[in-house]
C-alpha cells in the first residue's frame, strides 16, 4: 500500500502541475497588458484558458481502455506502465514552444496518469478488508494530495527562476524513483483468484451492474463539473485576476492541504460509522457551497471556499471511492473505475468550458458563473440514495461475481 501511495504522490504532482503553473503558462505564452479584461490581466482569455484545460482533461477519456486492460493483464503491470508513460510526457511538456503545443503534449500523457490514479484506488480496495478499506482509500487519496501540494511548493520556492518549464521538468525525479517502487507493488490476491474467462471484453460490465455504473457516472459528472473549475481556475483567478503572489497562493494551498487531510480523517470515520452514501451526499452538497463562495470576490472568499472545498473533496473521495469500489465485482472493478474516470473527465471538461464561457459572457463575473454551475450540480447529491449501502461488507458480499 505504501508503494501504491508513492505512485499516487507522483501522479498528483504531474496532474496538479497544470493548475499550479497555469498563471505562468498564460503569462509566458499570452500578452498581459494590465487592462480590465481577463485576457489583459492574465495573458489569456477565460475562454482560451478554459478550452485548453478542457482539452487536457478531455484527453483522459482515453484512460478507459488503459484502466480496463488491468482486468485482463493485472493491476501491477498496467499501473506501473501508465505511471511511467504519464510522467515522461509531463516532463516533455516542459519543452513546449507555444500554449497549444503545451496543451497537446500534456494531453497525450493525461490518459495514462488518470488511469494510474484510478488503478491506485482499485488496488487499495482489493488489498484490504472491509474494516480497513476506507483507511486504505484515504491513504491513496492523501498521497495524491501530497503530490499536488508538492507541485505548488516547488513552484512557490522556485518562483520565476524555475518557471513552468522547471516545474514539469522535475517530473523526471519521480520517474527515476519509479524503478524502486516497482519492486514493492504486488498483484492483489483477489485479482489472482478470479478466473480469466471473466475478463474477456474490454469496457464491458455485467448487465446487472450497468444501472449502478450509470448512476455513479451521473454523480461523478455532477461533482466534477464543480471541482474542475473550482480547483483548476484557482491560480488563474487568484494570480491573474486578483493579483495575488505565488507565495500567497501557496499559503492558501497549505491551508487547503491541512483541510483536505482533515477531510480524509472525517471521511474515513464517517464512511465507517454513518455509511458511504451519507458521507458522499453531505460532502457533495458542501462542495457546491464551497465552489459558489470561492469566486464571490476577494482573496478571503477565494481561500475560504478553496479550503472548505478541499475538506469536502477529501471526505467525498473516501465515501464515494469506497462505494464505487464495493458495488462492482473484482473481474470488472478496474473497468468500472475506468468508466467513472471517463465520467469525471466529462464533468471536468464541461465545468471548465462552461465556467470560462460563462465568466466571459457575464462581463467577467466569476461569481455569477460559479453560482450558475453550483446550484444544479449540488442538487444531484440526492441520487446517492438510490445506491445500496455497502458499509461493513466484504467485496465478495457487496458485489459477487456473476454466475
Amino acid at each position: 500500500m505504501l508503494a501504491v501511495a508513492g505512485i499516487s504522490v507522483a501522479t498528483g504532482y504531474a496532474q496538479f502541475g497544470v493548475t499550479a503553473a497555469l498563471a505562468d503558462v498564460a503569462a509566458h505564452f499570452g500578452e498581459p497588458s494590465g487592462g480590465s479584461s481577463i485576457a489583459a490581466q492574465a495573458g489569456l482569455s477565460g475562454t482560451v484558458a478554459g478550452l485548453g484545460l478542457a482539452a487536457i482533461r478531455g484527453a483522459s477519456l482515453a484512460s478507459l481502455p488503459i484502466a480496463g486492460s488491468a482486468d485482463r493483464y493485472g493491476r501491477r503491470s498496467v499501473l506501473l506502465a501508465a505511471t511511467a508513460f504519464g510522467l515522461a510526457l509531463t516532463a516533455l511538456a516542459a519543452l513546449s514552444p507555444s500554449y497549444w503545443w503545451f496543451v497537446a503534449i500534456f494531453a497525450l500523457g493525461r490518459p495514462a496518469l488518470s488511469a494510474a490514479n484510478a488503478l491506485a484506488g482499485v488496488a487499495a480496495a482489493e488489498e484490504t478488508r472491509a474494516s480497513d478499506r476506507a483507511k486504505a482509500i484515504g491513504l491513496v487519496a492523501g498521497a495524491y494530495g501530497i503530490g499536488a501540494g508538492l507541485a505548488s511548493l516547488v513552484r512557490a520556492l522556485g518562483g520565476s527562476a524555475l518557471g513552468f518549464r522547471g516545474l514539469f521538468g522535475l517530473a523526471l525525479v519521480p520517474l527515476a524513483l519509479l524503478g524502486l517502487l516497482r519492486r514493492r507493488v504486488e498483484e492483489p490476491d483477489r485479482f489472482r483468484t478470479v478466473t480469466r474467462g471473466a475478463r474477456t471484453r474490454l469496457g464491458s460490465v455485467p448487465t446487472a451492474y450497468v444501472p449502478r455504473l450509470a448512476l455513479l457516472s451521473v454523480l461523478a459528472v455532477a461533482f466534477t463539473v464543480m471541482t474542475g473549475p473550482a480547483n483548476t481556475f484557482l491560480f488563474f483567478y487568484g494570480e491573474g485576476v486578483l493579483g495575488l503572489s505565488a507565495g500567497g497562493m501557496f499559503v492558501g494551498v497549505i491551508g487547503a492541504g491541512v483541510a483536505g487531510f482533515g477531510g480524509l480523517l472525517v471521511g474515513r470515520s464517517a464512511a465507517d460509522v454513518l455509511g458511504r452514501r451519507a458521507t458522499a451526499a453531505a460532502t457533495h452538497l458542501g462542495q457546491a457551497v464551497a465552489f459558489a463562495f470561492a469566486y464571490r470576490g476577494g482573496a478571503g472568499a477565494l481561500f475560504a471556499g478553496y479550503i472548505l472545498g478541499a475538506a469536502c473533496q477529501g471526505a467525498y473521495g473516501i465515501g464515494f471511492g469506497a462505494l464505487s469500489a464495493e458495488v462492482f465485482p473484482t473481474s470488472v472493478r478496474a473497468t468500472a473505475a475506468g468508466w467513472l474516470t471517463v465520467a469525471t473527465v466529462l464533468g471536468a471538461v464541461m465545468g471548465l468550458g462552461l465556467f470560462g464561457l460563462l465568466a466571459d459572457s457575464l462581463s467577467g463575473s466569476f461569481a455569477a458563473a460559479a453560482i450558475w454551475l453550483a446550484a444544479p450540480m449540488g442538487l444531484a447529491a440526492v441520487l446517492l440514495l438510490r445506491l445500496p449501502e455497502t458499509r461493513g461488507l466484504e467485496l465478495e458480499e457487496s458485489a459477487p461475481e456473476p454466475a
Side-chain angles (χ1 to χ4, degrees):
M1 284 309 308
L2 290 176
V4 172
I7 289 176
S8 292
V9 171
T11 59
Y13 178 90
Q15 294 198 83
F16 192 76
V18 175
T19 300
L22 183 57
D24 285 342
V25 172
H28 183 85
F29 294 123
E31 296 181 358
S33 59
S36 59
S37 69
I38 294 175
Q41 295 177 66
L44 297 174
S45 71
T47 300
V48 170
L51 290 176
L53 291 170
I56 291 174
R57 292 299 300 266
S60 289
L61 293 172
S63 64
L64 174 59
I66 301 174
S69 66
D71 282 332
R72 290 185 173 185
Y73 306 115
R75 287 32 171 156
R76 180 182 182 275
S77 59
V78 177
L79 176 61
L80 292 171
T83 303
F85 183 80
L87 290 175
L89 267 292
T90 300
L92 184 62
L95 303 177
S96 302
S98 70
Y99 176 69
W100 290 110
W101 267 105
F102 169 79
V103 169
I105 295 173
F106 208 95
L108 287 176
R110 187 76 183 214
L113 292 171
S114 297
N117 189 45
L119 292 176
V122 170
E126 293 180 348
E127 288 280 19
T128 51
R129 298 168 297 179
S131 58
D132 298 322
R133 192 163 300 122
K135 300 174 187 176
I137 292 174
L139 173 65
V140 170
Y144 183 92
I146 290 174
L150 282 175
S152 180
L153 174 62
V154 168
R155 180 176 176 275
L157 294 178
S160 58
L162 182 70
F164 80 91
R165 299 189 190 278
L167 179 69
F168 292 123
L170 286 173
L172 292 173
V173 175
L175 179 60
L177 294 176
L178 189 62
L180 299 176
L181 290 177
R182 64 184 298 274
R183 302 175 183 177
R184 299 291 183 182
V185 179
E186 299 178 355
E187 196 70 72
D189 289 337
R190 279 191 168 98
F191 177 82
R192 296 175 187 273
T193 60
V194 176
T195 60
R196 292 282 173 177
R199 311 175 196 135
T200 54
R201 291 182 297 171
L202 185 63
S204 65
V205 297
T207 303
Y209 293 101
V210 169
R212 294 182 179 182
L213 180 58
L215 194 55
L216 285 166
S217 296
V218 170
L219 285 161
V221 167
F223 193 74
T224 51
V225 161
M226 298 183 290
T227 59
N231 296 339
T232 311
F233 265 90
L234 175 73
F235 285 79
F236 181 83
Y237 176 72
E239 296 181 23
V241 177
L242 298 183
L244 301 176
S245 67
M249 293 300 298
F250 176 65
V251 172
V253 171
I254 289 295
V258 174
F261 180 73
L264 290 173
L265 295 178
V266 171
R268 185 192 69 180
S269 298
D272 286 335
V273 176
L274 302 178
R276 289 26 172 158
R277 295 185 307 176
T279 301
T283 50
H284 186 116
L285 290 171
Q287 176 59 48
V289 173
F291 176 37
F293 190 81
Y295 290 94
R296 62 177 299 187
L302 177 65
F303 289 144
Y306 182 50
I307 289 171
L308 174 61
C312 290
Q313 290 169 43
Y316 180 87
I318 294 182
F320 187 84
L323 182 65
S324 59
E326 291 168 345
V327 296
F328 298 107
T330 299
S331 60
V332 295
R333 188 168 293 115
T335 297
W339 278 113
L340 292 178
T341 298
V342 167
T344 63
V345 171
L346 290 174
V349 168
M350 289 171 57
L352 289 169
L354 287 172
F355 190 61
L357 290 170
L358 283 171
D360 282 340
S361 63
L362 295 170
S363 302
S365 176
F366 282 87
I371 292 173
W372 271 96
L373 288 181
M377 296 302 106
L379 294 176
V382 299
L383 295 176
L384 282 157
L385 299 178
R386 299 181 62 85
L387 290 165
E389 179 56 64
T390 56
R391 177 188 57 180
L393 298 177
E394 295 297 344
L395 297 179
E396 293 76 14
E397 298 172 321
S398 60
E401 292 293 334

